[in-house]
Amino acid sequence: SQKIEQNSEALNIQEGKTATLTCNYTNYSPAYLQWYRQDPGRGPVFLLLIRENEKEKRKERLKVTFDTTLKQSLFHITASQPADSATYLCALTRGTGANNLFFGTGTRLTVIP
Amino acid sequence: EAGVAQSPRYKIIEKRQSVAFWCNPISGHATLYWYQQILGQGPKLLIQFQNNGVVDDSQLPKDRFSAERLKGVDSTLKIQPAKLEDSAVYLCASSPRLAGQETQYFGPGTRLLVL
């Protein structure tokens, strides 16, 4: 069956450290993988998109890697801040030409001051 | 630019009652999505529209859920009759085009509690 797993339900880190979140998938061949942030009581907000032929993407303190051999994406937040505390969702398309997003269960990140 | 609007924000009903949610996407966005997000899970796609046509409703429980997007702008999602397991947040999202690389813009969601 098709699965999208994010490493843990919750991750606590100290302010200033790098947070690393994992997204593993099985039985998908995604053309695109996206990361979203969701705050309590709000809808998800888009952060980054990475294509299957890209290894890495960066945006300010955020970095995403995509390894189609390992079927894994890593999401890094460097110099983390308490304001980065939220749930982070990975989402992928099923294949080339597909346009529906399938979401993982999310990882709740807490940055401790 | 105004974001995706949804109403109501909260709804409490008893099982077997009916309920309807409304969504107004970002102006000019051709694609509209309805998701169900159960507590502790990621959003699950229920139905996807391109303008006023249905692109994918494979995960919509059609015996009780229905949705429409008349005139290709606003959309409504209805549940009739509701079950306890329908308690969830219902998210509406829109994107400019029908493509996998498109960013989806989400509304704040409607939190439904079925008693």
Side-chain angles (χ1 to χ4, degrees), chain B:
Chain B
E1 178 181 77
V4 176
Q6 290 189 247
S7 68
R9 291 296 313 276
Y10 305 93
K11 191 74 178 177
I12 301 174
I13 61 172
E14 296 192 348
K15 60 183 179 184
R16 291 189 288 274
Q17 286 187 323
S18 62
V19 64
F21 312 127
W22 173 82
C23 173
N24 185 14
I26 292 173
S27 177
H29 281 195
T31 312
L32 185 147
Y33 313 79
W34 282 103
Y35 290 87
Q36 179 193 59
Q37 186 173 25
I38 292 171
L39 189 64
Q41 298 182 20
K44 178 184 123 181
L45 180 69
L46 293 175
I47 189 167
Q48 177 186 11
F49 292 93
Q50 173 71 358
N51 297 313
N52 60 351
V54 175
V55 175
D56 185 346
D57 63 357
S58 57
Q59 298 191 90
L60 187 74
K62 298 180 187 64
D63 57 334
R64 298 184 301 105
F65 286 65
S66 65
E68 60 183 13
R69 192 184 182 197
L70 301 174
K71 300 181 183 178
V73 181
D74 293 6
S75 177
T76 55
L77 176 70
K78 295 179 182 177
I79 308 175
Q80 182 180 13
K83 292 185 175 181
L84 297 177
E85 59 261 35
D86 298 332
S87 294
V89 175
Y90 290 85
L91 294 162
C92 179
S94 68
S95 63
R97 286 168 295 276
L98 186 71
Q101 70 267 37
E102 288 292 328
T103 298
Q104 294 190 18
Y105 297 84
F106 285 81
T110 295
R111 189 174 301 273
L112 174 67
L113 179 60
V114 182
L115 301 174

Side-chain angles (χ1 to χ4, degrees), chain A residues 6-13 19-22 86-88 105-111, chain B residues 40:
Chain A
Q6 297 193 236
N7 54 325
S8 58
E9 281 192 16
L11 179 66
N12 297 330
I13 64 165
T20 299
L21 284 63
T22 305
T87 295
Y88 291 86
T105 53
T107 296
R108 189 173 66 252
L109 173 68
T110 301
V111 180

Side-chain angles (χ1 to χ4, degrees), chain A residues 1-6 22-31 33 35 52 55 65-74 90 92-94:
Chain A
S1 64
Q2 296 169 320
K3 277 186 188 176
I4 305 169
E5 293 179 325
Q6 297 193 236
T22 305
C23 176
N24 294 296
Y25 57 92
T26 54
N27 295 326
Y28 285 95
S29 296
L33 191 145
W35 283 88
E52 61 179 338
K55 296 289 185 189
T65 63
F66 194 9
D67 188 326
T68 54
T69 302
L70 289 179
K71 295 186 181 293
Q72 180 181 79
S73 174
L74 298 179
C90 72
L92 47 86
T93 57
R94 195 154 50 190

